[in-house]
Amino acid sequence: MLCHRSFLLACLLLAACSEISPSLDFTRVQTEFEQAFRSDHLYTGRISAAPAGYHQVMQSLSTARINKFDPEQRPRAWMMRAVAAWRTGSFAHATSSSVSGLAASPRLHSREQVLLTMIPALVTDSQIITAWKASGMAYSAEQYAPVESAYLGAWKSLNAAQSAMDSSTPASVRSFLAYHQWRVLFNWETLIDNLSGGSTVADQVIRNIRPHFDGRDLLDMADAARQSVPVGDPLRVIMDAEMGSHL
């Protein structure tokens, strides 16, 4: 009897010291991610600090840990890691996580598929704005040239994310994509408006861009993205306030 009790006690001790089960761990990380995601609102032309929860998500979602999750959970895990890496400035990890997440076959038209498809564009925008601010926010036409190419590539990623949606895609995901379409376009326009050389240089750059967008201006497209989000949506409130401050 004593040996039996000792055996049970040893088993309980080993269980207490063992690693948390993948399913419980996934639930915990998902809760941390959602709390950070809901509180994370970015504005045009600014690089705000990432919520602390994203750092915790990054620490929790190593490649080895993700591979222990159920295959159906992995696309979401990669999405959480990609978003957290983007917001914490780990741009290479964000991009590679996006690739791994899409390779894990997320459900078509899902939040995971759309956000994973968006990540390269969000990384590009963050890198551009960070470098632009470090340079004194006044690029020459020569410095701007590779920026335009990068933004055109980012826009392709956002278009791909748009194409990944259908009627089953949650409305919140639609709003999130529109919000970042608006941000990218507004940031791009802001950078152009501040090119050294004055309005003449900026006007020429804007004329050169229009053919890529069927003759439309960046700000017109940004406003269309803003208006696609329902009035009263928290992201629409931010966009309305930002647009109002620039009038």
Side-chain angles (χ1 to χ4, degrees):
M1 186 66 175
L2 182 60
C3 291
H4 180 66
R5 287 179 178 174
S6 297
F7 175 76
L8 288 176
L9 182 61
C11 289
L12 290 172
L13 183 61
L14 286 172
C17 295
S18 65
E19 186 179 357
I20 298 173
S21 71
S23 60
L24 290 176
D25 201 29
F26 182 84
T27 300
R28 175 186 61 78
V29 176
Q30 184 170 247
T31 298
E32 291 174 348
F33 174 80
E34 294 298 343
Q35 290 174 344
F37 189 81
R38 286 193 299 269
S39 68
D40 189 24
H41 292 154
L42 294 170
Y43 298 81
T44 57
R46 308 179 204 173
I47 304 296
S48 59
Y54 283 139
H55 294 278
Q56 296 169 1
V57 169
M58 282 293 291
Q59 292 174 358
S60 299
L61 292 180
S62 64
T63 299
R65 181 67 59 83
I66 291 173
N67 287 335
K68 291 180 180 180
F69 294 147
D70 185 278
E72 292 185 358
Q73 295 175 323
R74 289 173 196 164
R76 181 166 297 180
W78 283 117
M79 180 274 288
M80 293 189 292
R81 175 169 151 168
V83 172
W86 159 58
R87 285 296 289 120
T88 55
S90 299
F91 297 136
H93 282 133
T95 302
S96 63
S97 297
S98 169
V99 172
S100 295
L102 291 171
S105 301
R107 183 170 51 84
L108 293 178
H109 319 303
S110 64
R111 179 196 192 196
E112 289 73 35
Q113 184 190 22
V114 175
L115 266 62
L116 286 165
T117 304
M118 289 174 61
I119 283 295
L122 306 187
V123 166
T124 293
D125 181 58
S126 293
Q127 291 174 319
I128 288 171
I129 294 300
T130 299
W132 178 64
K133 284 182 172 293
S135 74
M137 298 187 293
Y139 275 176
S140 66
E142 291 75 20
Q143 289 172 304
Y144 167 76
V147 169
E148 180 170 303
S149 177
Y151 264 136
L152 288 171
W155 192 249
K156 288 181 181 179
S157 293
L158 293 177
N159 279 340
Q162 184 87 44
S163 297
M165 298 192 300
D166 73 356
S167 59
S168 68
T169 305
S172 61
V173 176
R174 295 178 175 277
S175 294
F176 186 78
L177 173 59
Y179 178 57
H180 285 284
Q181 289 172 326
W182 167 81
R183 282 192 71 252
V184 166
L185 292 164
F186 210 108
N187 284 345
W188 190 354
E189 176 72 23
T190 300
L191 193 150
I192 292 170
D193 288 344
N194 287 276
L195 287 173
S196 58
S199 60
T200 301
V201 173
D203 289 346
Q204 182 59 53
V205 167
I206 290 170
R207 282 194 294 272
N208 292 341
I209 290 173
R210 285 177 183 152
H212 295 285
F213 299 101
D214 298 323
R216 302 174 68 191
D217 287 335
L218 296 180
L219 287 184
D220 289 340
M221 295 177 62
D223 197 47
R226 177 182 68 89
Q227 293 189 49
S228 72
V229 178
V231 174
D233 184 292
L235 298 178
R236 175 67 183 266
V237 170
I238 292 172
M239 291 186 282
D240 288 348
E242 283 276 290
M243 294 295 285
S245 69
H246 287 82
L247 293 177

